[in-house]
């Protein structure tokens, strides 16, 4: 890699061309606050996109929208990738801040991690089902319902109203 | 699917268990405002996660972080999926609102779409490179630099300071 490219990237990253707060440049005392707000921002972004991606699938489950296998697969792949992303956005430091995440997440971490893992597994199962037998609307609905119930179950237990 | 499951999902979706504003329930006059704010929220979420996902790859390009092939692949897969997601978050209705997206995006849509497609293609090429020859750090750096330059080029042209 030429140093010209390297410099371009460095400048791009440092000048905020990418939306990444520069933790390393923050005084040590403020680092945990930055890390917390960064994790909370990532968390909200992950769930905004999970919600938007699942919404059309929920529409099919509710009978509002026609089942479209190709579209369902695209949305399900997004949900699955974002589900695995969600496992990284609950560091201990982000327990407090502007968040609806309940303290129980960190107090009963094993129970919370189990829920997230179920969400990941069921999202992957939904993708696998759509790849295996894409025109089977009933099998899609069963697999997508399991995912929807994971969302609801975890929100009921670990998200403040 | 039993009607019990169906009802659970419907209630879950409508009560905001999933973070999806209910466009269909909004009076017609306000729908475009809701659609705009929804698209802008999705846009910000997409770029927050692209930034967070690319950041460790940028660290490798800047020589701050050691190259880790497995971690790089995971991040690159996220960037690639989110790049394709980004192509859906610029509806005409979202031209105005709380956004740094310049009006040029919609005034010169073909140029903007070309840039986004390059970002998608180069992100996919980065993933393909890491899958094909994962321990080749130089090839990774070349492919990741191309993606970083896509970010910077599009921001310079289409994002307000």
């Amino acid at each position: 890699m030429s140093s010209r490219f390297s410099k371009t990237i460095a400048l791009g990253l440092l000048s905020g061309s990418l939306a990444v707060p520069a933790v390393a440049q923050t005084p040590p005392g403020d680092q945990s606050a930055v890390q917390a707000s960064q994790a909370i921002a990532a968390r909200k972004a992950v769930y905004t996109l999970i919600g938007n991606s699942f919404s059309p699938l929920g529409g099919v489950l509710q009978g509002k929208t026609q089942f479209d296998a190709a579209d369902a697969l695209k949305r399900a792949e997004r949900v699955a990738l974002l589900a695995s992303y969600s496992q990284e956005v609950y560091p201990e430091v982000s327990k407090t801040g502007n968040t609806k995440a309940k303290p129980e997440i960190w107090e009963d971490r094993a129970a919370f991690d189990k829920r997230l893992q179920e969400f990941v597994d069921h999202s992957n199962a939904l993708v696998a089902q759509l790849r295996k037998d894409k025109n089977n609307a009933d099998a899609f609905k069963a697999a997508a319902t399991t995912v929807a119930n994971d969302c609801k179950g975890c929100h009921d237990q670990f998200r403040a109203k």
Side-chain angles (χ1 to χ4, degrees), chain A:
Chain A
M1 191 172 68
S2 79
S3 67
R4 187 181 142 263
F5 274 131
S6 177
K7 194 176 286 177
T8 305
I9 295 157
L11 290 172
L13 288 167
L14 295 177
S15 70
S17 275
L18 297 171
V20 184
V23 174
Q25 296 181 311
T26 309
D30 297 335
Q31 283 205 14
S32 66
V34 171
Q35 286 165 352
S37 69
Q38 214 175 344
I40 290 168
R43 204 147 78 203
K44 290 180 178 176
V46 164
Y47 288 106
T48 292
L49 298 183
I50 290 174
N52 284 3
S53 299
F54 196 84
S55 177
L57 309 182
V60 176
L61 296 181
Q62 294 175 79
K64 291 181 182 171
T65 323
Q66 196 90 35
F67 173 59
D68 173 331
D71 188 70
L73 178 58
K74 182 169 82 170
R75 310 288 168 201
E77 285 175 340
R78 290 179 181 173
V79 171
L81 182 133
L82 292 160
S84 107
Y85 206 141
S86 77
Q87 295 179 303
E88 295 174 23
V89 294
Y90 292 92
E92 180 78 28
V93 74
S94 67
K95 187 173 171 174
T96 53
N98 180 16
T99 178
K100 286 186 181 167
K102 287 187 182 174
E104 284 83 339
I105 289 171
W106 293 273
E107 289 157 9
D108 193 1
R109 187 74 201 212
F112 179 69
D113 286 345
K114 182 168 174 288
R115 281 218 178 259
L116 278 192
Q117 190 58 49
E118 285 167 352
F119 176 36
V120 170
D121 293 346
H122 294 150
S123 302
N124 285 331
L126 174 61
V127 170
Q129 167 56 39
L130 283 163
R131 286 187 185 150
K132 186 185 72 181
D133 185 15
K134 68 174 184 172
N135 291 317
N136 188 334
D138 285 342
F140 157 76
K141 286 179 187 170
T145 298
T146 303
V147 175
N149 286 336
D150 287 339
C151 296
K152 180 166 174 13
C154 197
H155 289 170
D156 288 350
Q157 188 173 359
F158 290 113
R159 191 176 73 160
K161 299 292 173 214

